[in-house]
Amino acid sequence: MGILKHANDHMHYMGEMMRRTDTDPSKASGPAGEVFLRGSIVRCLFCKHGEECREWLEEGNTHCDAPAFCRNAGHFENFRDNR
């Protein structure tokens, strides 16, 4: 897999995971928001569970916690809309 396709796929997965888990990055403003997004991107890009993530997203899960295999699961928890 080419690096650009990998990056594109994982950024799509991350955006969808944030939407489906009601993660709101706007809750972190200023430097905290930048750190949140930068950390989320790095964790996602280096994640080895892309296939599992794609399958989880295809199942249509919404308004729930991120799955255990997601490297951002705990990170997203701090920025949930419904918390």
Side-chain angles (χ1 to χ4, degrees):
M1 175 188 304
I3 193 166
L4 292 178
K5 179 172 179 3
H6 173 86
N8 186 59
D9 288 350
H10 280 251
M11 291 302 89
H12 170 73
Y13 300 156
M14 188 182 89
E16 277 298 300
M17 186 69 72
M18 290 174 77
R19 187 177 69 77
R20 308 255 184 115
T21 61
D22 301 315
T23 301
D24 183 3
S26 70
K27 284 187 164 188
S29 59
E34 185 177 327
V35 169
F36 168 77
L37 286 175
R38 185 181 304 137
S40 298
I41 289 167
V42 169
R43 275 187 290 284
C44 188
L45 286 174
F46 288 96
C47 179
K48 303 293 185 196
H49 299 281
E51 186 68 20
E52 288 173 89
C53 188
R54 183 188 59 74
E55 290 171 3
W56 187 87
L57 292 169
E58 285 179 353
E59 291 173 7
N61 297 294
T62 58
H63 308 292
C64 56
D65 293 335
F69 65 77
C70 180
R71 293 183 69 196
N72 278 313
H75 196 59
F76 288 167
E77 185 69 22
N78 296 321
F79 296 93
R80 296 280 302 266
D81 265 348
N82 57 353
R83 300 293 159 128

